[in-house]
């Protein structure tokens, strides 16, 4: 189905190192490499690699001849180390970039890195430190300006009372620096109930990000296409159909927060219809050409510790035809 393939194209960033899977680095790398041969390989995004694992990753890939002979380039997104204090961030970025360059030079024909992700120092998010957030943008931009092929800088922002200001600052910075494109990363789930943001807070962040036309990705808690009760977490989790449909619709034509709350909370499998022409979400329609443009320009991906589980749910609910392909 063409519209489903457009919706899912490179949507699933593989984060096998992270909870709840928490696989070893070698297991995760082998999984990711095998997924590049999967029937739905075009749905596979990047391998999410923390910068403090780069040296271990180099060692594993050098010792496993498979990685050097693999005819498919492996795509990575590197998560920079975080810290408490802003003054420590400068050295951390320098160290991380040194590791990144070593990684690229070692496997220049076998890997591709065009994005980094980072959580700013905790000090930056204190309510009284809004000016420090601006300083942080300048610091990171200066450090990453000359990193080759780096297209996306995903800045994770928390659902706090200052989230509107953070999004405004990112928008202003991008407008003033045409060679820069800071993107937004939203954490949409977690392993405990208090880590699950409300539909209202997600809708609020989507609305302002869409107004400012800032590229966006999400992470955590989105293994299932639609909202679902998860007994292990002890909470109701969000669905990736719901969140990314809200993103697509809102970036196309701004939705109200209440409209998005309804989609995020109440829509289930029967509310999403994929055809050869496009996607119908409730009573709203997105043509394939619109969806393609939005996915290419703004609506990026989400981090998931399982590549297979979202696909299995689509099989089980008749969004995919044919046998499951492991």
């Amino acid at each position: 189905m063409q519209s489903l393939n457009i919706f899912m194209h490179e949507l699933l960033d593989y984060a096998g190192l992270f909870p709840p899977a928490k696989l070893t680095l070698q297991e995760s790398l082998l999984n990711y490499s095998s997924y590049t041969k999967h029937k739905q390989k075009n749905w596979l995004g990047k391998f999410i690699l923390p910068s403090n694992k780069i040296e271990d990753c180099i060692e594993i890939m050098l010792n496993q001849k498979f990685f050097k002979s693999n005819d498919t380039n492996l795509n990575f997104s590197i998560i920079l180390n975080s810290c408490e204090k802003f003054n420590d961030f400068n050295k951390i970025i320098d160290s991380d970039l040194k590791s990144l360059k070593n990684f690229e030079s070692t496997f220049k024909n076998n890997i591709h890195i065009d994005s980094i992700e980072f959580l700013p120092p905790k000090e930056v998010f204190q309510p009284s430190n809004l000016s420090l957030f601006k300083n942080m943008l300048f610091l990171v931009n200066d450090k990453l300006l000359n990193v080759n092929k780096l297209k996306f800088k995903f800045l994770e922002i928390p659902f706090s009372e200052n989230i509107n200001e953070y999004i405004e600052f990112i928008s202003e910075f991008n407008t003033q620096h045409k060679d820069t494109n800071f993107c937004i990363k939203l954490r949409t789930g977690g392993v405990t109930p208090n880590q699950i943001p409300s539909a209202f807070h997600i809708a609020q962040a989507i609305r302002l990000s869409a107004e400012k036309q800032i590229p966006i990705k999400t992470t955590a808690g989105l293994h299932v296409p639609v909202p679902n009760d998860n007994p292990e977490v002890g909470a109701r989790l969000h669905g990736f159909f719901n969140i990314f449909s809200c993103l697509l619709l809102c970036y196309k034509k701004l939705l109200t927060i209440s409209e998005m709350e309804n989609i995020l909370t109440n829509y289930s499998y029967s509310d999403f219809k994929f055809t050869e022409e496009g996607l119908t979400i409730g009573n709203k329609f997105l043509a394939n050409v619109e969806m393609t443009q939005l996915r290419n320009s703004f609506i990026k991906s989400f981090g998931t510790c399982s590549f297979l589980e979202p696909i299995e749910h689509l099989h089980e609910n008749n969004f995919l035809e044919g046998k499951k392909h492991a």
Side-chain angles (χ1 to χ4, degrees):
M1 194 71 67
Q2 188 177 3
S3 61
L4 181 62
N5 284 325
I6 293 170
F7 185 94
M8 295 294 298
H9 183 71
E10 296 181 358
L11 189 70
L12 306 174
D13 285 342
Y14 183 57
L17 292 169
F18 296 84
K22 296 182 70 174
L23 302 179
T24 67
L25 180 56
Q26 181 159 322
E27 288 172 328
S28 299
L29 286 167
L30 289 171
N31 280 350
Y32 184 75
S33 189
S34 72
Y35 299 152
T36 65
K37 307 293 191 297
H38 192 278
K39 186 177 181 180
Q40 268 76 45
K41 62 185 178 182
N42 289 335
W43 297 3
L44 181 64
K46 300 173 175 62
F47 185 96
I48 305 299
L49 181 67
S51 57
N52 60 6
K53 298 282 188 182
I54 288 178
E55 299 306 320
D56 291 337
C57 187
I58 291 173
E59 183 177 354
I60 290 170
M61 290 178 66
L62 286 174
N63 290 334
Q64 296 269 341
K65 291 183 180 179
F66 172 78
F67 289 109
K68 296 200 74 173
S69 61
N70 193 350
D71 58 1
T72 302
N73 283 346
L74 302 184
N75 298 314
F76 290 86
S77 184
I78 305 299
I79 300 181
L80 303 182
N81 282 302
S82 192
C83 58
E84 296 283 339
K85 297 294 184 181
F86 175 73
N87 287 339
D88 296 329
F89 204 37
N90 187 24
K91 290 182 179 179
I92 284 175
I93 297 175
D94 285 341
S95 176
D96 287 350
L97 290 182
K98 183 178 179 181
S99 296
L100 188 153
K101 289 175 182 177
N102 183 33
F103 191 25
E104 286 186 312
S105 64
T106 304
F107 297 100
K108 57 185 176 182
N109 296 321
N110 297 90
I111 68 170
H112 181 66
I113 303 170
D114 70 357
S115 72
I116 60 97
E117 305 175 22
F118 68 99
L119 177 66
K122 291 182 180 179
E123 182 182 21
V124 168
F125 293 121
Q126 293 176 4
S128 58
N129 285 343
L130 286 175
S131 62
L132 206 56
F133 188 92
K134 292 184 177 181
N135 294 341
M136 180 273 303
L137 293 175
F138 280 98
L139 171 66
V140 175
N141 183 60
D142 289 344
K143 293 291 183 182
L144 300 179
L145 203 55
N146 297 317
V147 179
N148 292 335
K149 302 177 183 176
L150 194 61
K151 292 171 60 179
F152 304 106
K153 308 174 184 72
F154 289 103
L155 193 167
E156 182 175 340
I157 52 176
F159 290 98
S160 70
E161 61 185 30
N162 290 324
I163 190 169
N164 286 0
E165 284 86 352
Y166 300 144
I167 295 173
E168 290 278 3
F169 291 157
I170 292 169
S171 174
E172 290 173 8
F173 192 93
N174 286 348
T175 300
Q176 294 167 6
H177 300 78
K178 296 300 183 182
D179 53 355
T180 297
N181 198 8
F182 277 113
C183 311
I184 288 172
K185 176 180 175 182
L186 295 177
R187 189 163 295 275
T188 48
V191 294
T192 61
N194 65 346
Q195 292 177 317
I196 316 299
S198 69
F200 171 81
H201 286 116
I202 292 175
Q204 184 184 46
I206 289 175
R207 168 79 190 200
L208 187 55
S209 300
E211 284 179 13
K212 304 301 182 182
Q213 297 285 275
I214 304 172
I216 193 168
K217 75 169 291 186
T218 69
T219 192
L222 297 178
H223 291 181
V224 183
V226 299
N228 57 100
D229 294 315
N230 187 302
E232 294 181 5
V233 178
R236 189 163 179 79
L237 305 185
H238 297 287
F240 68 81
F241 269 7
N242 305 63
I243 284 180
F244 279 83
S245 292
C246 277
L247 283 164
L248 288 165
L249 290 173
C250 197
Y251 274 72
K252 176 195 172 188
K253 183 177 181 181
L254 295 177
L255 299 182
T256 66
I257 289 176
S258 62
E259 284 178 311
M260 283 188 282
E261 278 189 281
N262 182 40
I263 294 172
L264 292 169
T265 304
N266 299 318
Y267 279 30
S268 192
Y269 289 108
S270 61
D271 296 293
F272 303 98
K273 293 182 173 59
F274 294 90
T275 67
E276 291 300 328
E277 291 73 36
L279 166 62
T280 300
I281 305 157
N283 61 359
K284 300 179 187 297
F285 179 74
L286 276 169
N288 287 338
V289 65
E290 296 173 313
M291 199 159 33
T292 300
Q293 189 274 325
L294 290 165
R295 287 295 325 278
N296 288 340
S297 300
F298 303 113
I299 318 301
K300 293 305 172 182
S301 59
F302 70 91
T304 169
C305 69
S306 174
F307 173 69
L308 299 179
E309 187 179 341
I311 295 172
E312 289 167 358
H313 283 289
L314 293 177
H315 267 293
E316 290 165 1
N317 290 278
N318 302 314
F319 284 85
L320 285 173
E321 297 178 353
K323 296 181 180 179
K324 295 182 183 180
H325 179 89

